[in-house]
Amino acid sequence: MKREALLKHLRRHGCYLKREGGAHSLWINPQNGKVEAIPRHTEISNRLADKICDGLNLPRVGSR
């Protein structure tokens, strides 16, 4: 999955960028305060995208 598709999904569910780290961006879900690191690769595996969504308590990408 493209990184931009994941970020768009996160924004759509109310998450926002907390800060930029060395190799990762930290995104926060303001509804529950959970934070996840998103690597700065153009491609992110579907398994990792699912883990990120689960960690932020969001629906997985592609599931409605």
Side-chain angles (χ1 to χ4, degrees), residues 14-48:
C15 297
Y16 62 89
L17 178 67
K18 181 176 181 179
R19 70 177 175 87
E20 293 287 346
H24 294 80
S25 304
L26 294 179
W27 282 71
I28 186 168
N29 183 346
Q31 295 173 347
N32 56 25
K34 301 220 181 210
V35 177
E36 280 290 326
I38 313 294
R40 280 199 217 106
H41 302 285
T42 54
E43 284 288 329
I44 295 176
S45 72
N46 290 337
R47 188 172 176 189
L48 179 56

